[in-house]
Amino acid sequence: MIAPSILSADFAHLAEAADSVPTSDWLHVDVMDNHFVPNLTLGLPVVTSLHAATDLPLDCHLMIDDPDRWAPGYAEAGAANVTFHVEAAADAAQTARSIRAAGALAGLAVKPGTELEPYLDVLREFDTLLVMTVEPGFGGQSFMPEVLPKVRLAREHVRSGHLRLFLEVDGGISADTIAQAAEAGADVFVAGSAVFGADDPGRAVEALRDRARAAMAV
């Protein structure tokens, strides 16, 4: 699954950006509050408007403080998947239940420096695990292959039946790096500048999908 990140799109033309990637599986929306990460992007009103402007499922990645309070509102606004950071959550399991009760899939995100092992049990409450392959906060960073062992570990637990999850990677995903992530076990790929920086964003989505499928088939 390919989830283009509108962080790399023109914020004045988000509806047009969504229209330019019609075969995407999800549309990734980075929400930043300038507290959890040192950047400020967009919030709930924009997500509400974007949901009304596109049929693509919205994949909201909340890089915010106090997600326990704010995350369910994104599900209520129509997001298909709402992901928040374990580093910011007071009660990750309860927040996941609240997101699901509001009608969305619940996702848990981990920064590059956060170990996965302590959260394997709580991941049973989630539908998505988002492994950051850059430090969260800004687009256009270089892919960090050193975090891929976390993806491999999660994939092992999925294969064993311990977990049932989408395994998502976000950060530096491009034609040059997507195969590494796919081989490690990821099945959802967030790509920003590799899509919206391309001359034809729709064709870029399909090219990324082809590379990921080829790597999974090996």
Side-chain angles (χ1 to χ4, degrees), residues 132-156:
M132 292 300 300
T133 44
V134 298
E135 290 293 339
F138 294 91
Q141 299 183 64
S142 297
F143 179 76
M144 299 171 64
E146 60 267 28
V147 307
L148 292 180
K150 285 190 281 191
V151 178
R152 295 188 184 97
L153 175 62
R155 176 56 63 192
E156 289 171 6

Side-chain angles (χ1 to χ4, degrees), residues 43-152:
L44 190 55
V46 175
V47 170
T48 301
S49 296
L50 190 58
H51 175 61
T54 181
D55 291 330
L56 292 175
L58 300 184
D59 175 31
C60 290
H61 176 197
L62 308 185
M63 289 168 271
I64 63 173
D65 285 342
D66 199 10
D68 308 83
R69 175 184 178 186
W70 298 109
Y74 286 84
E76 293 164 1
N81 186 65
V82 180
T83 297
F84 61 93
H85 273 265
V86 70
E87 302 90 353
D91 190 338
Q94 182 55 49
T95 300
R97 294 178 196 131
S98 296
I99 291 169
R100 283 173 151 181
L105 301 178
L108 192 69
V110 293
K111 291 181 178 182
T114 300
E115 296 295 330
L116 187 59
E117 286 85 351
Y119 306 108
L120 289 173
D121 286 338
V122 78
L123 278 171
R124 295 177 182 178
E125 301 279 353
F126 288 84
D127 305 288
T128 305
L129 170 64
L130 172 57
V131 176
M132 292 300 300
T133 44
V134 298
E135 290 293 339
F138 294 91
Q141 299 183 64
S142 297
F143 179 76
M144 299 171 64
E146 60 267 28
V147 307
L148 292 180
K150 285 190 281 191
V151 178
R152 295 188 184 97

Side-chain angles (χ1 to χ4, degrees), residues 4 17 20-24 194-208:
S20 73
V21 288
T23 64
S24 301
V195 171
F196 291 116
D199 291 336
D200 185 335
R203 183 173 295 178
V205 167
E206 292 308 307
L208 289 169

Side-chain angles (χ1 to χ4, degrees), residues 23-58:
T23 64
S24 301
D25 299 282
W26 291 346
L27 188 65
H28 191 79
V29 182
D30 288 305
V31 177
M32 307 183 198
D33 64 359
N34 202 32
H35 293 283
F36 181 71
V37 292
N39 195 6
L40 184 66
T41 54
L42 46 82
L44 190 55
V46 175
V47 170
T48 301
S49 296
L50 190 58
H51 175 61
T54 181
D55 291 330
L56 292 175
L58 300 184

Side-chain angles (χ1 to χ4, degrees), residues 152-165:
R152 295 188 184 97
L153 175 62
R155 176 56 63 192
E156 289 171 6
H157 282 268
V158 170
R159 286 175 178 150
S160 71
H162 177 72
L163 297 173
R164 296 182 65 183
L165 291 166

